[in-house]
Amino acid sequence: MDWVESAGGPLLAAPATQLARWEGATDDEDDDAPVETWGDYGRACAVDGYIGLVGIGGAQGLVLGDEPATTTYLPEERLFLRWAAAESETELVHAAREAVRGVEWEEELDWDVDGAVVLFDSAWPGATPEPGNHLKIDLAPGRYRVRAAHTRDDRNWMILVQLQPVP
């Protein structure tokens, strides 16, 4: 299973058609300046909560915020699985598939996509995402209801972000 990691900031699921428009972090960012002034990366960092949207060209990217959790995508469940704590990948994936059936969703938003998206560390420019640390996700064009929740069982803690097509 492929996982995407962050160097400390949020992950971004950006439309593949708009990747070149995401500039990521710039060299001239001032650590003392408000994060909202840090360009594209700052806009992603400004998202409050588990999920949020940022404009990229004429489209929107989905920010996976809150904490820099290692993340994968389970296509059958249309689920971003964010690893907060677990002893093994196998246990975590199994726990996520069980949890998604009855979890109480904490946040929701609607997201319009034009097709495939690429998940990567938002600090990187979209034209050149970090080699070996990004994931292409094939989505049908359309509107999705995005739901997010933090959940855990005795051994696994995770953040779930599910995409549901809106008819």
Side-chain angles (χ1 to χ4, degrees):
M1 186 163 281
D2 294 323
W3 294 83
V4 177
E5 297 181 352
S6 165
L11 296 178
L12 176 68
T17 59
Q18 302 296 316
L19 276 180
R21 295 178 179 257
W22 184 262
E23 294 182 7
T26 59
D27 292 336
D28 60 347
E29 291 170 358
D30 177 2
D31 288 340
D32 295 326
V35 71
E36 295 83 5
T37 66
W38 292 1
D40 286 344
Y41 176 67
R43 293 186 306 119
C45 289
V47 167
D48 187 31
Y50 298 126
I51 53 176
L53 299 175
V54 293
I56 306 173
Q60 296 175 316
L62 176 66
V63 176
L64 302 181
D66 187 55
E67 63 178 77
T70 301
T71 302
T72 193
Y73 185 75
L74 306 177
E76 290 178 17
E77 292 83 5
R78 288 187 303 277
L79 184 70
F80 289 102
L81 170 56
R82 311 198 66 215
W83 188 325
E87 291 189 24
S88 77
E89 174 183 290
T90 302
E91 281 187 35
L92 183 66
V93 170
H94 176 75
R97 287 183 168 138
E98 290 295 318
V100 76
R101 295 182 202 159
V103 69
E104 290 188 34
W105 300 103
E106 300 168 42
E107 297 178 25
E108 286 190 12
L109 57 80
D110 286 343
W111 182 33
D112 294 312
V113 299
D114 60 4
V117 298
V118 178
L119 180 68
F120 63 102
D121 184 340
S122 63
W124 282 76
T128 56
E130 184 177 10
N133 193 36
H134 60 279
L135 185 60
K136 184 176 180 188
I137 299 161
D138 291 320
L139 295 176
R143 175 167 283 199
Y144 289 83
R145 166 99 2 96
V146 182
R147 313 184 301 176
H150 184 278
T151 187
R152 66 183 184 183
D153 63 19
D154 292 339
R155 301 168 55 98
N156 304 283
W157 296 17
M158 67 205 95
I159 300 169
L160 304 176
V161 178
Q162 188 176 49
L163 310 177
Q164 293 187 311
V166 175

